[in-house]
Amino acid sequence: MRLVILGTAALTANYLQPALERCATFEFAWIAQIYLRNFALITIIAGGLHLFLHTYKLQGNKRKYIAREFAKNKNMFTFRNQVFDNMFWSLASGVTIWTAYEVLYFWMLSNGYIPRLNFFQNPISAVALFLLTPFWLSFHFYWVHRFLHWGPLYRRVHSLHHRNITTGPWSGLSMHPIEHVLYLSSCLIHVVVPSNPILMLFHMQLQVLNPTASHSGFEELLAHDRKQMALGNFYHQLHHRFFECNYGGESIPWDKWFGSFHDGTAEATEQLRNRLRDK
């Protein structure tokens, strides 16, 4: 998956990215180009998965976590419709803030305010940054996510994302604007550490497209009953069910280290209830 996204980032940088010299001043044309590119990317990926898995049900309920359909006529959702709600917050807020971070990065890079890493001159550093990006994302996500579960911030911000008990591809990026600012802020590492446009785009696309797959509602994508791609994350699915557990991913066992891990067993559920009762 990471190599696929790296390839997408390379194609984006070479064919869909405004020339760096254009980014020296804030102008509508190049900013709109980045916005429309990001809008199209998430629409194709999330929309395509939604059509395949949920609209046309091309693999039925095989490998689906929850058989229940998306909510309709529910006042808790924008437009009283879960799918429309998720699409609205992903596109109106998510794509806008995602674009804003990329615009800031390319403006700073174009003006020489931040250093640029050259692949050919520093191949070891470039490969190291590529390999370490998922670990930095895991670290950042765990602590930002725990912060978002702090009472006042949860009620006013993160609860919007947690409307989704049954999740779908559009649920992954369906967040309050404040959560988008916090969640996507991991990319600011590229302002501090010498980086490259391809690595920056890889970072952002990994952060945006991974939740699309992990929230798809399915464990795997099948074709002719054969696994084509891993999708959902069982441990994060448990987070959407039990809320106060599994704040991080699986690449680094933050939840095991800090006592917030849930493995899906009845014993883990009882431990979670005891922990919440003690709080």
Side-chain angles (χ1 to χ4, degrees), residues 84-176:
F84 294 165
D85 170 280
N86 290 179
M87 291 178 67
F88 173 78
W89 291 105
S90 295
L91 296 171
S93 175
V95 172
T96 301
I97 294 168
W98 168 18
T99 300
Y101 275 122
E102 290 188 352
V103 166
L104 175 65
Y105 170 80
F106 287 111
W107 174 77
M108 294 181 74
L109 189 66
S110 179
N111 283 285
Y113 298 145
I114 55 177
R116 178 170 181 170
L117 179 68
N118 186 292
F119 279 124
F120 300 103
Q121 294 177 359
N122 302 281
I124 295 177
S125 297
V127 171
L129 192 56
F130 165 69
L131 294 175
L132 291 173
T133 292
F135 294 97
W136 164 244
L137 285 172
S138 175
F139 172 83
H140 181 273
F141 175 66
Y142 180 81
W143 291 109
V144 165
H145 198 181
R146 292 215 69 159
F147 178 52
L148 287 165
H149 276 261
W150 173 56
L153 199 58
Y154 179 85
R155 289 191 294 274
R156 293 177 174 81
V157 176
H158 192 49
S159 59
L160 188 151
H161 180 70
H162 269 287
R163 294 170 179 175
N164 302 289
I165 304 299
T166 302
T167 62
W170 287 107
S171 305
L173 204 63
S174 179
M175 306 173 186
H176 188 284

Side-chain angles (χ1 to χ4, degrees), residues 1 8 23 43 54 84 100 109 143 150 157 165 167 182 225 233-234 242 257 270:
M1 184 68 172
T8 303
C23 303
T43 299
H54 297 282
F84 294 165
L109 189 66
W143 291 109
W150 173 56
V157 176
I165 304 299
T167 62
L182 293 172
D225 289 333
N233 182 307
F234 173 68
F242 295 110
W257 293 342
E270 185 61 27

Side-chain angles (χ1 to χ4, degrees), residues 34-267:
I34 294 177
Y35 178 86
L36 292 173
R37 178 192 73 205
N38 292 342
F39 190 100
L41 183 61
I42 191 67
T43 299
I44 291 168
I45 301 300
L49 276 174
H50 181 85
L51 289 172
F52 184 92
L53 296 170
H54 297 282
T55 301
Y56 298 115
K57 301 180 185 297
L58 295 180
Q59 68 181 58
N61 285 338
K62 294 177 181 178
R63 304 294 190 272
K64 190 176 184 182
Y65 289 119
I66 301 175
R68 185 170 51 191
E69 297 297 324
F70 297 120
K72 294 181 180 179
N73 298 317
K74 298 289 185 180
N75 290 329
M76 65 186 296
F77 291 105
T78 310
F79 314 113
R80 305 184 75 240
N81 182 296
Q82 182 182 354
V83 175
F84 294 165
D85 170 280
N86 290 179
M87 291 178 67
F88 173 78
W89 291 105
S90 295
L91 296 171
S93 175
V95 172
T96 301
I97 294 168
W98 168 18
T99 300
Y101 275 122
E102 290 188 352
V103 166
L104 175 65
Y105 170 80
F106 287 111
W107 174 77
M108 294 181 74
L109 189 66
S110 179
N111 283 285
Y113 298 145
I114 55 177
R116 178 170 181 170
L117 179 68
N118 186 292
F119 279 124
F120 300 103
Q121 294 177 359
N122 302 281
I124 295 177
S125 297
V127 171
L129 192 56
F130 165 69
L131 294 175
L132 291 173
T133 292
F135 294 97
W136 164 244
L137 285 172
S138 175
F139 172 83
H140 181 273
F141 175 66
Y142 180 81
W143 291 109
V144 165
H145 198 181
R146 292 215 69 159
F147 178 52
L148 287 165
H149 276 261
W150 173 56
L153 199 58
Y154 179 85
R155 289 191 294 274
R156 293 177 174 81
V157 176
H158 192 49
S159 59
L160 188 151
H161 180 70
H162 269 287
R163 294 170 179 175
N164 302 289
I165 304 299
T166 302
T167 62
W170 287 107
S171 305
L173 204 63
S174 179
M175 306 173 186
H176 188 284
I178 292 175
E179 182 169 356
H180 280 128
V181 170
L182 293 172
Y183 172 66
L184 295 171
S185 67
S186 66
C187 70
L188 295 177
I189 192 71
H190 296 273
V191 174
V192 179
V193 177
S195 185
N196 181 279
I198 293 177
L199 292 172
M200 171 62 173
L201 292 171
F202 166 71
H203 181 121
M204 295 302 290
Q205 291 176 14
L206 188 65
Q207 197 166 16
V208 169
L209 299 181
N210 262 353
T212 299
S214 66
H215 288 74
S216 66
F218 287 76
E219 186 175 20
E220 298 170 346
L221 182 70
L222 304 178
H224 304 294
D225 289 333
R226 292 186 177 181
K227 177 181 175 180
Q228 304 298 316
M229 182 185 298
L231 289 176
N233 182 307
F234 173 68
Y235 297 108
H236 192 70
Q237 188 71 28
L238 289 171
H239 174 76
H240 274 266
R241 180 178 178 182
F242 295 110
F243 291 76
E244 299 299 335
C245 64
N246 297 359
Y247 300 104
E250 295 178 79
S251 56
I252 301 178
W254 299 107
D255 289 288
K256 289 184 178 180
W257 293 342
F258 293 97
S260 53
F261 180 69
H262 194 309
D263 62 2
T265 63
E267 291 79 7

